[in-house]
Amino acid sequence: EAGVAQSPRYKIIEKRQSVAFWCNPISGHATLYWYQQILGQGPKLLIQFQNNGVVDDSQLPKDRFSAERLKGVDSTLKIQPAKLEDSAVYLCASSLSPSFFGSYEQYFGPGTRLTVT
Amino acid sequence: GQQVMQIPQYQHVQEGEDFTTYCNSSTTLSNIQWYKQRPGGHPVFLIQLVKSGEVKKQKRLTFQFGEAKKNSSLHITATQTTDVGTYFCAGQGAQKLVFGQGTRLTINP
């Protein structure tokens, strides 16, 4: 079974530039997550999709970050314009749809390491 | 909002020693998950605990979920160099899964 795919793996940009990340979840997984992981910290949820609808984007800095999941499969996360504090690893994860009793395990992609200079 | 705290932040042990990390939530959880992240890697799911007081074992790893469903622990018996990495708990609250900041385990062979 193929895992979660992400690209690019690494990206270096200057502040105020734009960047986009792509994620392809595991086939059949309706739920997709984007996390930001700053060095030495745990993953912080930016946005959660259920199919192509947004379930939670309460921690997404909407003035500069945007995400979409067209057709309920692939997803892109965009930062425009980037700031120095956006330097982090951006992780995409997918899972089966959460049940009434809780959540299913999340499968993470390899992540995109973003450096903003 | 929901917060999940883990202690210790770092732990260095000699190979063969035991290791424990603790996880505490500010709110009652419906379940808790544990993940392991190797250096340079991505989080990998280890286990999910759902029931109050639940204890699960995976070889040398023992996971516990507190009676009040607000805390959890992971205990590794007789650590090996392959156990190196950061262990995260993630608590499922009313709305979402919140990760702790992790415990980074290093081992002296």
Side-chain angles (χ1 to χ4, degrees):
Chain A
E1 176 182 271
V4 176
Q6 287 188 250
S7 68
R9 293 294 310 277
Y10 305 91
K11 190 74 176 178
I12 301 174
I13 61 172
E14 295 181 352
K15 59 184 180 183
R16 293 187 289 273
Q17 286 187 325
S18 302
V19 65
F21 313 126
W22 172 83
C23 173
N24 181 241
I26 291 173
S27 177
H29 281 190
T31 308
L32 185 147
Y33 314 80
W34 282 102
Y35 288 91
Q36 179 192 59
Q37 187 175 26
I38 292 172
L39 187 64
Q41 299 182 19
K44 171 188 165 185
L45 180 68
L46 293 176
I47 189 166
Q48 176 181 340
F49 291 96
Q50 179 75 14
N51 295 308
N52 60 351
V54 175
V55 173
D56 187 332
D57 64 356
S58 58
Q59 298 189 99
L60 186 73
K62 299 180 184 66
D63 58 333
R64 299 185 299 107
F65 286 64
S66 64
E68 60 181 8
R69 189 182 185 196
L70 300 175
K71 301 181 181 178
V73 182
D74 292 7
S75 178
T76 56
L77 175 70
K78 297 179 181 178
I79 307 175
Q80 179 179 11
K83 292 185 176 181
L84 295 177
E85 59 260 36
D86 298 332
S87 293
V89 175
Y90 290 85
L91 294 163
C92 178
S94 70
S95 72
L96 297 170
S97 299
S99 69
F100 176 80
F101 298 102
S103 53
Y104 290 104
E105 63 183 277
Q106 296 185 20
Y107 294 81
F108 284 82
T112 297
R113 183 175 298 276
L114 174 67
T115 302
V116 182
T117 63
Chain B
Q2 179 189 349
Q3 293 185 357
V4 176
M5 304 297 294
Q6 266 186 271
I7 56 169
Q9 190 173 358
Y10 303 97
Q11 183 78 58
H12 180 76
V13 301
Q14 290 289 125
E15 188 175 15
E17 292 182 338
D18 291 357
F19 159 77
T20 305
T21 174
Y22 300 91
C23 180
N24 290 284
S25 170
S26 59
T27 60
T28 301
L29 303 170
S30 58
N31 67 69
I32 194 158
Q33 298 179 5
W34 285 90
Y35 290 80
K36 177 184 179 180
Q37 187 172 23
R38 294 182 184 274
H42 56 274
V44 174
F45 176 83
L46 294 176
I47 208 160
Q48 177 172 276
L49 305 171
V50 179
K51 299 177 183 177
S52 170
E54 189 170 15
V55 178
K56 287 188 176 180
K57 293 189 176 183
Q58 290 180 349
K59 297 182 180 178
R60 295 177 294 103
L61 277 62
T62 302
F63 303 84
Q64 293 188 344
F65 200 10
E67 294 290 340
K69 300 185 74 173
K70 295 181 71 174
N71 57 72
S72 182
S73 65
L74 158 60
H75 180 81
I76 302 178
T77 303
T79 55
Q80 300 175 359
T81 54
T82 53
D83 296 326
V84 164
T86 301
Y87 294 84
F88 293 98
C89 64
Q92 177 68 49
Q95 299 293 334
K96 60 192 172 193
L97 197 68
V98 176
F99 281 78
Q101 68 268 45
T103 296
R104 182 180 172 189
L105 173 63
T106 55
I107 298 175
N108 205 24

